[in-house]
Amino acid sequence: MCVLEMKHIKKSFDGNEILKDISFRVNEGDVVSIIGPSGSGKSTLLRCATFLETIDDGELLYLGKKVVESDGKKAIYADKNSVKKAMECFGLVFQNFNLFPHYSVLKNIIDAPIRVQKRNKEEVIKEARELLKKMGLEGREDAYPCQLSGGQQQRVSIARALALKPQILFFDEPTSALDPELTIEILKVIKELAKEKMTMVIVTHEMDFAKNVSSKMIFMDKGFIVEETTPEEMFNSKNQRTMEFLGKYKNVN
Amino acid sequence: MNMIDIVLQLADGMMVTIMIFMLTLIFSLPLGLIVTTGRMSKNYLLQAVVKVYISIMRGTPLMLQLLVVYYGPYYLFGCKLSPEYRGIAVIIGFSINYAAYFAEIFRSGISSMPAGQYEAAKILGYNKFQTFIFIILPQVIKRILPAITNEVITLVKDTSLAFSIAYSEMFSGAKALAASEKSMLPFVVAAIFYYIFNFAVATVMELFEDKLSYYEI
């Protein structure tokens, strides 16, 4: 089943075209990594998919339902309710976590399921404790975000996203604010989720990890998708630009 | 006349001063929040109107504003001023003046909030109202508390301006007493009263700050 589909997405900021014509799809169980140089539009693409930015032109579908249509010139968003429904399909993990600092770890995780989804409190708390255990944060539920390391904060934010039971989880450079040790913590968690067949789209600069964890890789440059293929093929690509980007990366290693 | 007699004489006035203080806070804080909403509105007309309002409130003396609020209805519309209106005018004058200052403090707090907090709330499905009440406002209050404390302390002292429209709070009582007794002592009592009042205010505000220090932003 196709969870997310984006067709001919275009996005500019003040006449500066960031996304020029992006089309791709994510099927259930896919782990898609998006790589590419800074400024290539990776994060913007993710922000367009998650309604944090409005798309200028193109189509956006969640679970086969059209949320954004194109009239050939510009994007037309569906009604409020359809957008709300679509937003319930996904979760997003931010680069700088964006936890709520005034809420404890537990409250960060349970507040949205209780307040927004109106679910049973006891049940949500039970699930949240299980999620914390899975994230290796047992016993930290009463801590506040400021008392946690960056890696722990990011794991809480992953738990917070998972508590809403999304069908697809987006990661916007989830390890860019972390040192190498903490990065490994997060990558382990994501790998664990991949094993459980969680559908994920990950914007990342961690090439080894992307190669390791993804079922599909997308290489973006200057607002276009240069290549979209399996990790093996990506790393053996004959495409000039891909070789340049990955080649530079290989040289350092 | 000794100190105790003076304190007893001024006791009623002290209650009035405390009442002006309380009522002004009760009205001006929520009003300030509403004014901020206008000031930060995307509607340029509303924004401009609110800007002018804030500019006038901050740009003219509070004493003059009190006079306008009190005598305005008579000079502008020929209304007869009832004695009860004196107290109401004091509260209206103080409230609309302080609301302007509070609005600017709220605005500084709200615009200092990182966009990430709004974005995280949006992704988690909070609507705009929930986002503001549960996510943004509590953090804003923590950020602006020191600035609010400043204003509240100023308000304690500003209550004495009510004497400009002959509203008998503590300070006008002290002035009258000093004149009739030919003594400095009522002023000393007044000073001690304001000082203790403000000391209490500062202590309470510090307590609030301590209560919110369980997390860092």
Side-chain angles (χ1 to χ4, degrees), chain A residues 47 50-52 87 90-92 94 98-103 111-112 115-116 118 144 146 160 164, chain B residues 114-127 130 134-136 138-139 214-217:
Chain A
R47 293 173 61 82
T50 51
F51 300 90
L52 293 178
M87 288 196 74
F90 61 78
L92 170 62
F94 295 88
N98 290 336
L99 289 173
F100 302 136
H102 58 308
Y103 283 172
D111 196 60
R115 209 186 292 284
V116 177
K118 310 264 181 258
Y144 284 85
C146 62
R160 179 175 74 170
L164 291 163
Chain B
Q117 292 288 306
Y118 291 95
E119 290 179 352
K122 184 178 176 182
I123 294 289
L124 293 170
Y126 293 87
N127 62 34
Q130 290 170 328
F134 300 114
I135 308 300
I136 303 300
Q139 297 182 55
Y214 69 88
Y215 72 92
E216 275 164 43
I217 292 173

Side-chain angles (χ1 to χ4, degrees), chain A residues 114-228:
Chain A
I114 293 169
R115 209 186 292 284
V116 177
Q117 294 185 329
K118 310 264 181 258
R119 286 173 51 203
N120 177 281
K121 194 175 172 181
E122 273 74 49
E123 192 191 302
V124 172
I125 291 177
K126 205 175 140 234
E127 279 178 21
R129 292 213 167 105
E130 276 161 25
L131 278 171
L132 281 173
K133 198 169 159 191
K134 206 164 120 188
M135 297 293 148
L137 289 167
E138 239 179 331
R140 298 313 307 268
E141 57 184 62
D142 294 323
Y144 284 85
C146 62
Q147 298 164 324
L148 303 178
S149 73
Q152 288 172 326
Q153 287 190 51
Q154 191 59 300
R155 280 182 279 156
V156 173
S157 90
I158 294 172
R160 179 175 74 170
L162 288 172
L164 291 163
K165 306 190 179 181
Q167 265 147 312
I168 177 167
L169 193 50
F170 296 101
F171 292 85
D172 187 7
E173 301 192 18
T175 60
S176 295
L178 303 173
D179 70 32
E181 265 180 328
L182 299 177
T183 296
I184 289 170
E185 278 181 19
I186 300 304
L187 300 185
K188 269 187 192 157
V189 169
I190 298 175
K191 224 169 172 177
E192 209 49 50
L193 292 173
K195 257 189 220 159
E196 294 166 22
K197 292 283 162 227
M198 180 81 210
T199 312
M200 293 183 280
V201 177
I202 309 161
V203 168
T204 184
H205 287 301
E206 298 290 328
M207 294 305 151
D208 281 325
F209 168 72
K211 191 175 169 184
N212 227 301
V213 78
S214 11
S215 55
K216 194 161 84 179
M217 280 180 85
I218 291 174
F219 172 53
M220 271 180 79
D221 189 29
K222 295 184 179 121
F224 289 109
I225 290 182
V226 178
E227 260 191 281
E228 179 181 351

